[in-house]
Amino acid sequence: MSFNPNMSNKDVADLIFLDYKSKKPWLNLDFANVTTTGLEATRDFATGGQGAPNRVAFDSNRTGTLEIQTQIATMKLFSLISGTEIEDHFEYLKRMVLTASGTTLTIPADVELVSGSIYVYPADDDCGKSLEITVSDHAITLPEGSAGDFVVYGMVKVDSGAQVVKFNSKSFPKAFVIYGETPWKTEDDEIADMHLTYYKAQPQAAMSLALSNTGIIEMTITCNLLADDEDRIYDMAIIG
């Protein structure tokens, strides 16, 4: 080793996820704030003698986790946790406040509501008793004598151009090979890049995402570290 072996680190690791089976790059995650690797093992002891002191240690069941903390997300990151592919179509509920012209409400021309999904309420009885209406194209006909503002609810169908991640009861995260890189600094002021390899990492399905008007989102993705078919779990390497 040609550089000072005494070194320390004060930076996150950039990570590249590869599909475990094909080894094809799947996600470049270079926006994390913290990447924490934890390794554990079970230790059992043989005891002997008066007082039953521990005499021989046996280690087994090595396990580990990679914990990734981030304030930035992508739809592919959510797909990583869901275990599903990103789709391009979905439906969502739209709420509009429209003013009647006579007994007619006009849905904006750029809004296409799904037939049979439209409900209308007086503005002062939102989500109360819905009105009896008829719908023809973008025109909603109200009961006789109706006037003023009304709240309109309806489903909008997006057929393409969206990014949709679905969480269901049958899909779970798949395994990945993960390569990481982070700079270390030696006592001689040298920079040495450390290369990390997680041979079989499987993200946990758990997710907590707090959407707040007082703070920035924070997400933690935890991957269990498994042994691959060559019993490899985790490598740390540095080039001297």
Side-chain angles (χ1 to χ4, degrees):
M1 183 177 290
S2 61
F3 58 86
N4 191 314
N6 297 332
M7 57 186 178
S8 189
N9 173 277
K10 192 178 181 294
D11 211 343
V12 67
D14 289 339
L15 304 172
I16 301 173
F17 287 70
L18 278 63
D19 180 88
Y20 183 75
K21 184 175 182 179
S22 69
K23 303 302 187 286
K24 180 180 179 180
W26 192 87
L27 173 67
N28 178 38
L29 202 163
D30 59 357
F31 46 79
N33 288 330
V34 183
T35 48
T36 304
T37 303
L39 297 173
E40 297 182 358
T42 300
R43 174 163 288 178
D44 296 308
F45 296 94
T47 62
Q50 293 183 353
N54 294 333
R55 305 295 289 266
V56 182
F58 298 91
D59 290 324
S60 62
N61 192 31
R62 186 184 293 279
T63 61
T65 57
L66 169 62
E67 188 176 88
I68 303 163
Q69 297 177 33
T70 179
Q71 291 181 306
I72 298 173
T74 67
M75 293 303 286
K76 200 158 190 180
L77 188 63
F78 294 129
S79 174
L80 178 92
I81 301 169
S82 74
T84 60
E85 298 295 328
I86 296 177
E87 300 182 9
D88 66 353
H89 57 279
F90 75 114
E91 292 185 0
Y92 68 93
L93 181 65
K94 187 173 182 64
R95 179 184 185 274
M96 299 174 289
V97 178
L98 303 178
T99 301
S101 175
T103 57
T104 300
L105 297 174
T106 301
I107 301 170
D110 61 342
V111 177
E112 295 289 342
L113 299 181
V114 176
S115 176
S117 72
I118 301 172
Y119 292 88
V120 178
Y121 302 89
D124 60 358
D125 190 28
D126 189 4
C127 293
K129 183 177 180 181
S130 61
L131 301 177
E132 295 293 331
I133 60 170
T134 57
V135 181
S136 177
D137 194 16
H138 282 67
I140 301 174
T141 302
L142 303 170
E144 287 295 329
S146 298
D149 293 337
F150 296 84
V151 181
V152 179
Y153 292 92
M155 298 300 297
V156 177
K157 187 176 182 180
V158 179
D159 292 319
S160 63
Q163 293 188 55
V164 184
V165 175
K166 295 183 177 181
F167 293 79
N168 61 55
S169 61
K170 295 183 179 180
S171 297
F172 297 94
K174 60 183 181 179
F176 295 89
V177 178
I178 303 176
Y179 289 98
E181 184 176 333
T182 181
W184 287 64
K185 190 174 185 179
T186 74
E187 286 189 322
D188 287 339
D189 207 33
E190 303 157 314
I191 300 298
D193 287 329
M194 180 170 285
H195 298 270
L196 313 173
T197 305
Y198 304 86
Y199 287 96
K200 189 176 185 181
Q202 190 158 1
Q204 296 179 4
M207 182 183 76
S208 177
L209 182 63
L211 306 178
S212 168
N213 63 2
T214 59
I216 301 171
I217 67 163
E218 291 190 12
M219 287 180 58
T220 298
I221 300 98
T222 301
C223 301
N224 291 106
L225 304 182
L226 312 178
D228 70 0
D229 55 5
E230 297 182 42
D231 296 326
R232 300 175 299 182
I233 296 177
Y234 174 58
D235 283 356
M236 305 170 68
I238 199 162
I239 301 174

